[in-house]
Amino acid sequence: MPGPLLPGSTIGVVGGGQLGRMLAQVAHQFGYRVAVLTGGAKDTPAGSISEIEIAAPFDDDTAVERFLAESDVITWEFENVDPSLAEAAAAAGVPVHPSGAIIADAQDRQREKRALTAAGVAVAPWRPADTSDELRDAVEHLGVPVIAKAARFGYDGKGQVRIDDPAEIEAAWTTLGGERLVVEAVVPFERELSVVVARGADGTVVDHGVMENHHVHHILDTTIVPAEIPDDRADEARALAHRIAAAWDLVGVLCVEIFDTEQELLVNEVAPRPHNSGHCTIEAAAASQFEQQLRAVCGLPLGDGECRPAAMVQLLGYLWTDGEPLWPAALRDSMIHLHLYGKAEARPGRKMGHLTCVGDTAAQALQRANDARVVLSGR
Ligand code: AMP
């Protein structure tokens, strides 16, 4: 195994979003340089604070060549990228963490379900559907209601259609654009959980405990840590994440999203990178999910991920509807931490930033973070 990549080296980040920005912030703190391949956009959240921003598509060979020439290691903040990028990196002798094989599995829901099942992890009952006839067969087999999800390029509920009646099948197939699908039974979950886990090159695995997540319109709205669940259930959720990290031979960070049905834990999906639900680790843990990503991909020892009770509330673009949010009012509570992603245009459902709060209990932290969010738009 080569030695660790030391400060002064350049971390190549695929994707220019807020996850890359928060990775770049800790990389800079540690004395690393950052090069970002954005996928096309300029002045991205990550690229605008990095030494190098390459504003080009992921399949632009010349741009990829430059990105690889600038980078000492490649990691991902966005996984919906052709895994041939990882092959190009291997050919150029640049290490890639997590591996292209993990990216290929995580970006395709059919492959992901099979890889999870192979790792011995339970998922919701599902069927693949590559044609409208297969969609019909899947609905018949699973019984309504189901959720049909495009196998690729979905996020935040995009590329998903719920089918409550077999009469809706054709419309669902058309809405989803004739893409390959995963058709899942609707899981009657009690709550949604997630576990962010880091695994080092030496096989060490560290997590941040279990997060409990609440979505609004399919977008993560709030997270608390630790989740309000019995200890044995939390241990089970953490064990699932550790099992996936080891089975996939992860080097880096991944987030496992879980449905807790009371009877059992079912894995919904896996993101091979830090995750929205892990943002509170910046204040709640000695080593945040972004610091763990940096440490893992550089071959450094992992930090202590244990979290104090904390909460995160998302700041979406609708908060800008009547002008700039009232930042001083929200920050009057000295326990509130503000994170803004540097996005110029505030569209209603766009993730613009988040607030976090650490407290004696997660419920108290959530109350304070929610109160702060309310006063932001309280004109
Ligand atoms: P996903 O993009 O797969 O993470 O789905 C976004 C959200 O839709 C999840 O966080 C759940 O709230 C909901 N959802 C997705 N799949 C299912 C399912 N099989 N059963 C119930 N709710 C689901």
Side-chain angles (χ1 to χ4, degrees):
M1 201 196 304
L5 201 59
L6 298 176
S9 310
T10 302
I11 314 297
V13 181
V14 180
Q18 58 267 18
L19 300 174
R21 181 183 181 91
M22 289 180 267
L23 172 62
Q25 286 165 340
V26 70
H28 286 155
Q29 180 198 323
F30 274 55
Y32 289 87
R33 302 172 74 252
V34 180
V36 173
L37 180 63
T38 70
K42 282 197 184 63
D43 300 325
T44 56
S48 62
I49 65 158
S50 296
E51 281 74 9
I52 300 164
E53 179 182 64
I54 303 175
F58 299 120
D59 60 358
D60 176 331
D61 291 342
T62 313
V64 168
E65 209 173 294
R66 184 175 158 225
F67 177 59
L68 296 176
E70 297 282 6
S71 303
D72 296 303
V73 65
I74 302 295
T75 190
W76 317 81
E77 74 98 44
F78 177 74
E79 68 275 28
N80 289 326
V81 176
D82 192 321
S84 65
L85 183 60
E87 287 158 30
V94 183
V96 179
H97 301 306
S99 66
I102 293 180
I103 298 301
D105 279 344
Q107 72 179 203
D108 182 310
R109 291 184 192 272
Q110 291 187 2
R111 287 183 62 148
E112 182 181 46
K113 300 264 191 224
R114 293 189 177 108
L116 288 171
T117 306
V121 167
V123 299
W126 74 284
R127 277 282 198 271
D130 296 353
T131 63
S132 62
D133 284 344
E134 287 179 11
L135 175 57
R136 188 167 295 285
D137 290 347
V139 175
E140 205 163 286
H141 176 84
L142 295 166
V144 288
V146 299
I147 300 185
K149 303 180 178 180
R152 299 191 56 173
F153 305 127
Y155 66 98
D156 288 346
K158 295 192 175 65
Q160 296 190 13
V161 175
R162 183 180 159 120
I163 300 174
D164 288 295
D165 186 303
E168 298 161 8
I169 290 173
E170 281 312 315
W173 177 255
T174 309
T175 304
L176 292 167
E179 292 282 330
R180 289 189 309 119
L181 304 176
V182 156
V183 188
E184 284 177 25
V186 170
V187 176
F189 56 78
E190 294 288 328
R191 59 184 73 77
E192 293 190 78
L193 307 173
S194 58
V195 179
V196 175
V197 74
R199 184 168 179 273
D202 63 356
T204 313
V205 183
V206 176
D207 65 67
H208 296 283
V210 183
M211 279 90 184
E212 184 168 341
N213 304 314
H214 182 244
H215 294 78
V216 174
H217 302 310
H218 297 283
I219 300 177
L220 183 65
D221 185 55
T222 63
T223 295
I224 57 168
V225 65
E228 290 174 338
I229 54 174
D231 287 348
D232 57 344
R233 199 25 79 103
D235 289 345
E236 203 185 318
R238 295 171 65 200
L240 277 178
H242 286 236
R243 181 187 303 182
I244 295 166
W248 290 15
D249 203 15
L250 172 76
V251 176
V253 164
L254 65 73
C255 176
V256 182
E257 294 180 45
I258 300 168
F259 297 136
D260 180 356
T261 70
E262 293 291 9
Q263 287 80 38
E264 59 180 342
L265 297 179
L266 300 173
V267 171
N268 174 27
E269 62 177 351
V270 177
R273 50 166 170 77
H275 189 259
N276 204 161
S277 62
H279 288 353
C280 48
T281 61
I282 294 178
E283 284 83 21
S288 73
Q289 59 172 350
F290 304 102
E291 181 172 329
Q292 300 291 44
Q293 182 183 22
L294 178 76
R295 286 169 174 258
V297 306
C298 291
L300 297 171
L302 297 179
D304 181 350
E306 191 177 337
C307 285
R308 292 182 287 159
M312 186 269 334
V313 301
Q314 197 75 55
L315 303 179
L316 297 182
Y318 70 82
L319 289 165
W320 276 250
T321 307
D322 297 322
E324 191 68 18
L326 305 177
W327 304 120
L331 293 171
R332 214 166 278 142
D333 181 344
S334 61
M335 291 300 286
I336 296 295
H337 298 269
L338 171 64
H339 297 257
L340 289 174
Y341 307 149
K343 297 180 182 178
E345 195 196 339
R347 292 189 294 275
R350 194 175 196 202
K351 291 175 184 169
M352 302 297 290
H354 65 268
L355 302 176
T356 55
C357 184
V358 175
D360 293 335
T361 66
Q364 181 213 58
L366 180 62
Q367 180 72 51
R368 288 175 82 157
N370 261 326
D371 288 350
R373 181 168 60 177
V374 167
V375 303
L376 279 178
S377 53
R379 352 179 115 73

